[in-house]
Amino acid sequence: MNAGQQTTRRLVSRTGPSICRSCLDTLSRQPYSTAAAAAIQTEPQEALPITPPTPSPSYALHAGILVSRPPLLTRPPHPFESAYHLYQKRLNERLALPFTRYFYIKKNTPGDLEWKRKIKQRLTPARDIGRYRGYGDEAWNDEVLVGAQESEMAWQVERLLEDAERDGGEEEGKKGEGVQTVGGPKKLEREPVERPMPRVTEADEKGDVRSLGRLLQRSLYLVVKNKEGEWVFPQDRLIGKESLHNAAERVLVQSGGYNMNTWVVGNVPVGHYQHDFVPEHLAKSANPTELGLKTFFMKVRIMAGQADLKSNKLGLTDFKWLAKEEVQKTVDEKYWRSIKNMLAER
Amino acid sequence: MALRELPSRAASAVLHNSRPAVLALRPSGRRNASSEALRDVESSSSFEVPFVSDSLVKAFDPIERSKRRRLGKKPLPPSRYQFRPPKYYRGPLHPHQPPPSSDPVSREFIPGPFASPRLEQTYQSTIASDLMTLTYHHLPPGYRAPVQLQRLREWTGDSPYFKGRPLRPPRGGGGLRLLDPPRNFKNIPEITKVVVHSMVPEAQDNSAHLHVAGMIVQAITNVRAVTHKARHNVVGWGLREGKYVSVTADVEREDTFHFLSKLIDVVLPRIKEWKGVAGTTGDSSGNITFGLTPDVVAMFPEIEVNYDSYPPKMIPGCHITIQTTATNDRDARFLLQSVGLPFYGKLVD
């Protein structure tokens, strides 16, 4: 270590215990010129007598972990949003150049015949905007009627699947059932199209708060029940000169076990909670200079696995995976006020 | 006046003190940041439909209704004047001004957005906050950033023309680099634009190459391609000045996310023994470029679905530039890595 940094460190250490280690590092990274200037200015203070260190009132440092499972699904669109998107899709059908059919579909192939049948039914190349005519005398009739399903995502998905499953001949067959000849075209057998998984899972229906397969469109946070029976985020006291990042990794292992594939995001905390001991507790405690505890929360993402409290060393008895508003109902009011801003809305 | 008001004031003061407790519980009109803003702005939503009976809704057929209305009447004369926006912009003083490009009648209007892309939602819900946490640098309270010295040079000398002249750029080429402001919630890097560029020098002899390249770039990006001429003669590359040699497409807004998610989730994982994007790429101001070979371009789902429609051996490769709001390559690489683009080799910032 060089002389300039030494000086700054010494200066800063004399200012008092209210500066954290990372701040101290930042301050000591000043250019030499400013550090030297500061040293010159405070030269007279160097003569002050050095008092023996006395334990000043302080807070115990805790590292907490905010384990979250990010949303896996897109959010449900607002009705206005989906109506707007449908409007834009229909507008596009009217304004865009016509679909270049011969580039994509060869003439006189089964695909070509299928295209002709289907375009007669739905009038547009787009398959998810309903029956819509962008040109002609009735082009003005482009409004969606009351109670129409066209703008809803579920309806559009159904239409896309229907289009993939059928070849467009069914409706015609239905109309002319009596006229159909015996030697008519054979019905095309198609593989059933794989349907998308439901957005609501089994865990949602059961209300299983321990499952990670719940509320797929929201962030879920791990909340645990500690020795005192309070619902909090997992946390533990820092040991020695442990950094917050290392402590977070330790707390992860000691609370949730090894069965979680996790990632501690960055080296800085995302929030903090301060707990002041009541005077009665202070009077009884062995360390009266410790006024309370400050918990700094590190952000952790869970990629796979599940929490397992069987062999936890923090005395935890239960856990839940909760969305933001459920966390509010579960935790203490004062605790909620300090943690609410680090939880994502979605 | 004041005297006349006095009794009422006294009464109100008394009333104020003896206010029943019920009033305190009454919902106040005051708006807090936490209260739902919309509820205060308007009580009724425009999405609400006035009640109509089911039978009326089912029976309503706009086309039938208009036919009935026109029955037995003379049709209205076709309108004499239908507005068409001017084809050319003839300056701000011309009486015939084109409508803004956001107007559907404008010639420049492009419909959209058609959906809220999954990648964009992931960015907003997950990636942005993680990047904020990853790149946040804590400064202690009371810290004052060192004063930024003037990065441009003064004009020194006794020429009277130096007065008021704009400052000179620094010595050497390259110009000024972007400043890295401290990270906060307003300057989290995000993807702004993707430029897909395909150069086909063979197009100088046979224009079919350019047409195919244009079709392919349009098909994979969903954006109209723009062609470019060679600006100089370059013998080594076989370029002749003024000949069309390349096509580009500027992919913006919603298309960016669709294109990137297609590229990252479908195309890149299918490349055999692909190491990733070179770590040395980047223009040191947050834009990352990499290239795709013709056989990779052919793996885009839009090309694959009718691969036979494109002339054989004419499918071009392309360069893809991802533009971000990051001010250095390191942050841009962080962003693209979190989106799912791998980097390999020595990382140069």
Side-chain angles (χ1 to χ4, degrees):
Chain A
M1 197 172 281
N2 57 45
Q5 281 202 1
Q6 287 268 25
T7 325
T8 329
R9 262 174 203 278
R10 225 179 324 128
L11 285 173
V12 168
S13 65
R14 211 176 297 128
T15 55
S18 64
I19 291 184
C20 71
R21 218 176 96 191
S22 73
C23 304
L24 192 64
D25 288 344
T26 314
L27 284 175
S28 60
R29 238 180 278 130
Q30 278 175 346
Y32 300 133
S33 51
T34 50
I40 290 163
Q41 279 169 6
T42 53
E43 200 71 55
Q45 288 181 8
E46 200 121 27
L48 285 174
I50 295 162
T51 50
T54 50
S56 51
S58 64
Y59 284 82
L61 277 185
H62 281 226
I65 48 173
L66 180 69
V67 191
S68 60
R69 191 224 57 195
L72 302 177
L73 295 185
T74 51
R75 62 184 160 73
H78 190 269
F80 177 76
E81 204 181 354
S82 40
Y84 176 74
H85 287 151
L86 178 72
Y87 166 72
Q88 291 288 344
K89 278 183 199 163
R90 289 189 160 191
L91 200 55
N92 184 52
E93 213 52 53
R94 182 177 282 205
L95 296 176
L97 284 175
F99 175 66
T100 46
R101 173 159 56 111
Y102 295 118
F103 186 68
Y104 289 97
I105 304 163
K106 287 267 171 341
K107 241 181 181 178
N108 298 328
T109 54
D112 190 35
L113 297 177
E114 185 185 319
W115 165 268
K116 281 177 185 165
R117 279 200 297 269
K118 281 183 176 172
I119 198 78
K120 223 180 270 175
Q121 289 162 19
R122 63 173 189 244
L123 306 179
T124 53
R127 291 161 293 179
D128 53 351
I129 60 170
R131 211 176 143 81
Y132 170 74
R133 194 191 292 275
Y135 297 102
D137 287 343
E138 285 158 12
W140 54 266
N141 180 27
D142 58 353
E143 296 275 341
V144 183
L145 298 182
V146 173
Q149 307 279 305
E150 273 89 340
S151 64
E152 281 168 27
M153 178 67 84
W155 185 90
Q156 294 176 357
V157 170
E158 273 313 305
R159 293 293 84 70
L160 290 177
L161 289 171
E162 200 174 85
D163 189 86
E165 279 169 351
R166 296 182 183 178
D167 59 356
E170 290 85 351
E171 275 77 0
E172 284 182 4
K174 240 184 261 169
K175 272 181 207 165
E177 256 171 327
V179 196
Q180 216 170 14
T181 51
V182 182
K186 271 187 189 173
K187 216 179 171 196
L188 220 64
E189 285 294 322
R190 297 212 168 199
E191 283 179 36
V193 180
E194 200 181 342
R195 308 188 90 72
M197 302 278 283
R199 293 174 68 89
V200 179
T201 60
E202 202 186 328
D204 271 320
E205 283 159 4
K206 282 184 189 168
D208 180 7
V209 286
R210 289 193 176 194
S211 167
L212 271 167
R214 201 173 63 93
L215 288 179
L216 296 182
Q217 68 278 39
R218 299 289 310 274
S219 292
L220 290 185
Y221 297 97
L222 176 64
V223 185
V224 293
K225 198 176 192 178
N226 64 9
K227 269 180 274 183
E228 288 83 38
E230 293 161 340
W231 287 98
V232 289
F233 296 125
Q235 61 167 61
D236 195 24
R237 195 176 175 127
L238 288 185
I239 300 173
K241 288 193 168 182
E242 198 177 28
S243 72
L244 274 177
H245 187 99
N246 290 345
E249 282 176 345
R250 178 175 58 80
V251 173
L252 255 177
V253 170
Q254 290 184 349
S255 59
Y258 291 97
N259 190 23
M260 287 202 288
N261 184 3
T262 51
W263 172 48
V264 181
V265 185
N267 294 322
V268 291
V270 289
H272 98 289
Y273 166 67
Q274 178 175 332
H275 178 71
D276 295 307
F277 292 143
V278 285
E280 299 90 72
H281 179 273
L282 269 181
K284 272 189 279 175
S285 84
N287 188 5
T289 54
E290 201 172 284
L291 301 177
L293 49 95
K294 286 183 177 177
T295 311
F296 289 88
F297 295 102
M298 300 294 288
K299 189 174 188 175
V300 181
R301 293 280 190 200
I302 177 165
M303 264 79 78
Q306 173 62 286
D308 178 18
L309 299 187
K310 242 178 246 165
S311 55
N312 82 83
K313 289 167 185 163
L314 306 179
L316 311 176
T317 51
D318 199 3
F319 73 92
K320 281 179 182 176
W321 290 98
L322 300 177
K324 183 170 184 177
E325 65 272 357
E326 295 166 338
V327 173
Q328 182 181 12
K329 283 173 203 155
T330 311
V331 302
D332 182 46
E333 176 60 30
K334 182 170 176 273
Y335 193 72
W336 168 251
R337 261 182 275 129
S338 30
I339 62 163
K340 66 177 178 188
N341 285 341
M342 64 183 186
L343 308 183
E345 284 300 326
R346 213 191 118 219
Chain B
M1 202 68 183
L3 276 175
R4 229 180 291 158
E5 266 181 18
L6 197 63
S8 67
R9 280 207 180 173
S12 76
V14 169
L15 278 178
H16 182 75
N17 286 341
S18 64
R19 190 168 53 163
V22 183
L23 277 181
L25 296 175
R26 200 175 54 184
S28 67
R30 191 186 300 162
R31 217 176 87 195
N32 296 319
S34 54
S35 71
E36 206 181 318
L38 251 180
R39 199 177 48 206
D40 292 350
V41 173
E42 47 183 307
S43 55
S44 68
S45 162
S46 56
F47 306 120
E48 283 167 14
V49 186
F51 177 75
V52 273
S53 65
D54 253 4
S55 58
L56 203 65
V57 168
K58 272 178 193 155
F60 184 74
D61 182 359
I63 299 218
E64 193 56 42
R65 196 161 159 263
S66 97
K67 271 184 190 162
R68 235 186 300 126
R69 202 179 56 227
R70 284 180 295 173
L71 205 67
K73 286 182 193 165
K74 253 203 293 185
L76 289 170
S79 86
R80 304 273 159 74
Y81 177 70
Q82 284 186 333
F83 178 72
R84 289 278 288 167
K87 200 163 186 182
Y88 304 108
Y89 177 59
R90 292 168 207 274
L93 299 179
H94 196 271
H96 198 180
Q97 290 287 324
S101 62
S102 56
D103 190 340
V105 301
S106 163
R107 290 170 187 269
E108 286 145 19
F109 178 76
I110 296 172
F114 306 120
S116 167
R118 186 190 156 88
L119 181 59
E120 190 185 16
Q121 291 193 19
T122 311
Y123 173 81
Q124 286 161 358
S125 70
T126 313
I127 297 173
S129 64
D130 281 359
L131 280 181
M132 175 80 196
T133 313
L134 272 175
T135 56
Y136 182 76
H137 183 69
H138 177 68
L139 297 171
Y143 170 82
R144 270 175 299 163
V147 180
Q148 186 72 44
L149 297 174
Q150 177 57 261
R151 300 203 296 162
L152 298 168
R153 287 183 298 150
E154 301 268 349
W155 291 90
T156 46
D158 33 351
S159 168
Y161 294 108
F162 286 170
K163 197 170 278 178
R165 209 179 242 191
L167 297 174
R168 308 168 79 181
R171 281 179 205 285
L176 291 179
R177 291 183 58 176
L178 294 178
L179 293 172
D180 292 331
R183 176 75 62 238
N184 59 33
F185 69 97
K186 285 180 283 186
N187 62 13
I188 303 174
E190 57 180 330
I191 296 167
T192 49
K193 187 179 176 184
V194 171
V195 180
V196 180
H197 167 239
S198 175
M199 173 140 172
V200 273
E202 305 87 43
Q204 295 172 114
D205 304 319
N206 180 5
S207 72
H209 285 93
L210 199 72
H211 295 300
V212 173
M215 282 302 275
I216 282 184
V217 167
Q218 270 174 211
I220 64 178
T221 59
N222 190 26
V223 172
R224 187 79 178 163
V226 181
T227 49
H228 300 279
K229 291 173 185 171
R231 282 188 292 188
H232 305 288
N233 281 315
V234 184
V235 180
W237 298 346
L239 289 188
R240 277 168 283 148
E241 194 182 330
K243 293 273 188 184
Y244 282 103
V245 283
S246 77
V247 288
T248 60
D250 288 3
V251 191
E252 285 172 302
R253 294 180 289 274
E254 188 199 348
D255 289 329
T256 316
F257 294 103
H258 287 313
F259 176 73
L260 279 183
S261 46
K262 207 161 55 194
L263 181 74
I264 290 166
D265 298 336
V266 180
V267 180
L268 298 182
R270 291 168 67 187
I271 307 176
K272 281 177 185 164
E273 296 179 8
W274 188 61
K275 286 188 282 183
V277 177
T280 50
T281 180
D283 63 350
S284 70
S285 37
N287 305 319
I288 302 284
T289 304
F290 58 96
L292 299 181
T293 55
D295 48 321
V296 175
V297 172
M299 279 192 234
F300 270 91
E302 291 89 350
I303 309 297
E304 211 171 35
V305 72
N306 62 339
Y307 181 78
D308 298 338
S309 295
Y310 297 94
K313 294 179 184 175
M314 277 200 190
I315 294 182
C318 68
H319 280 116
I320 293 167
T321 303
I322 302 175
Q323 301 187 4
T324 66
T325 54
T327 48
N328 57 47
D329 286 346
R330 184 173 165 274
D331 288 351
R333 212 178 300 120
F334 255 155
L335 170 61
L336 294 183
Q337 276 173 336
S338 56
V339 164
L341 201 64
F343 288 84
Y344 79 94
K346 192 182 159 205
L347 303 178
V348 178
D349 290 325

